[in-house]
Structure formats: structure tokens, C-alpha cells
Amino acid sequence: MGFGVYGRLNWVDNNAPSSVLTQTLTDLVGGVDYHWRWFRTGAECEDYDSNYSQYQALRFYQNFDFRLDDRSSLGLGFNETFYRYPENGDQTLYQFITTYNIQLWSSLSWYVQGGCSQQDMPGNEQIQGSAQTGLRWTRGKLSVRTGYEYNNLSTTSGSFSEQRDKNRLFAYLKRSF
């Protein structure tokens, strides 16, 4: 069981000539989190001030990580973020992801994961869904990951609506030295 308090500062002060477009920013984040066995939750506040954009954000998150047996695990994650822009109003973002992993043999595992997000802005709504499954094989310093991924994106803005679907097969080979 644990309780934490944290803070973060990102600061960029570019001194380039005025004819060059560079970003300056101050980003302050403070938060608290709590962890007990398979459950973790937290909240954080952010004050982002840049010459490109300014906003304040409030974010909440909840994670559930279950060890089902000595070979498999299940995870669920939720995020809720609320943005306030000085000139453009409010924006909300809700996210959910779930993952399942199982070790088939000592060097081979299978995973499946999926999630969705919904983003609401004044006059716009975006809903995205994703699912992925694949195999991981590791032997010494060599590893291979292969699988399938599906993504769906739906955007609505006033009377305009767009739907995108993407299917992808992938394979990664990695050798560590």
C-alpha cells in the first residue's frame, strides 16, 4: 500500500531571434496517487503556458492489474481528462484500455489488447477504437513480435462526419548487443 505526491516542471526559454518561430513554455504538474495491491488511482492538475497554447487540465486515472495465475495477467485502465482553454472553451477526453497476456511456453507469449477514447471539443466529437493481438518470442538477445492491429476513427464536426478504418499486420525483429 502506498500514497504518493509528485510534481513536475517543464520549462523552455528559447532566445532565438524574433524572425525565427520557436516555442517557449512553462508547464507545471502536481498530483497525488494511491496504490494498493492490484489497484492504483490518482489525480493531477496541470497549468500549461506556451506562446503556442495555454490551458489548465485536471486528470483522473484508475488502473486495475490482476495476476490471474503464474502465467497470465489482465489489466484495465481508465483516464478522464478535463481541459480548459482561455479562448476556446472546454474539452474532455475519456480513455479505456484493457490488456491480457499469457505465457504459452518459456520463450513464447500471446497478448490481446483493446481500447477506446472519446474526445469532446466545442462543435467536434472524436471517437477512436483500437484492438491488437500478437505473439512475442524471445531467445537470449533476439526477440520477435508479430501480430494484427485494427483502428477505427470517427470524427463529427457540425454537419461533417468522417469514418476511417485501418488494418495492419506487423512483424518486428530485435537483436540486443
Side-chain angles (χ1 to χ4, degrees), residues 98-170:
T98 183
T99 59
Y100 174 75
N101 293 289
I102 186 166
Q103 194 72 34
L104 301 171
W105 294 284
S106 62
S107 60
L108 183 67
S109 63
W110 172 67
Y111 68 93
V112 60
Q113 61 189 20
C116 61
S117 70
Q118 178 180 354
Q119 186 173 18
D120 288 316
M121 302 163 269
N124 296 302
E125 180 182 65
Q126 189 175 66
I127 298 173
Q128 183 172 7
S130 178
Q132 187 180 78
T133 186
L135 296 169
R136 290 186 188 108
W137 178 83
T138 305
R139 177 73 68 166
K141 296 182 178 186
L142 181 66
S143 64
V144 176
R145 187 166 59 103
T146 185
Y148 167 75
E149 180 178 72
Y150 171 76
N151 288 296
N152 174 282
L153 177 63
S154 173
T155 304
T156 304
S157 178
S159 61
F160 172 78
S161 179
E162 180 181 20
Q163 181 87 20
R164 292 184 187 181
D165 292 311
K166 183 168 81 172
N167 294 281
R168 182 173 77 112
L169 295 172
F170 60 89

Side-chain angles (χ1 to χ4, degrees), residues 61-72:
Y61 58 90
Q62 307 81 39
N63 296 316
F64 303 86
D65 294 310
F66 302 103
R67 191 82 178 143
L68 302 176
D69 56 35
D70 61 337
R71 295 179 30 216
S72 63

Side-chain angles (χ1 to χ4, degrees), residues 35-72:
H35 183 266
W36 180 72
R37 295 185 189 187
W38 45 264
F39 176 65
R40 181 174 181 222
T41 188
E44 66 181 36
C45 293
E46 179 177 17
D47 186 11
Y48 185 91
D49 186 11
S50 164
N51 59 326
Y52 294 162
S53 176
Q54 294 90 28
Y55 65 84
Q56 287 80 41
L58 182 60
R59 177 177 173 250
F60 301 99
Y61 58 90
Q62 307 81 39
N63 296 316
F64 303 86
D65 294 310
F66 302 103
R67 191 82 178 143
L68 302 176
D69 56 35
D70 61 337
R71 295 179 30 216
S72 63

Side-chain angles (χ1 to χ4, degrees), residues 80-95:
E80 306 84 30
T81 308
F82 306 93
Y83 298 94
R84 175 162 303 271
Y85 296 91
E87 303 296 323
N88 300 337
D90 297 336
Q91 176 181 340
T92 57
L93 176 63
Y94 300 100
Q95 298 171 306

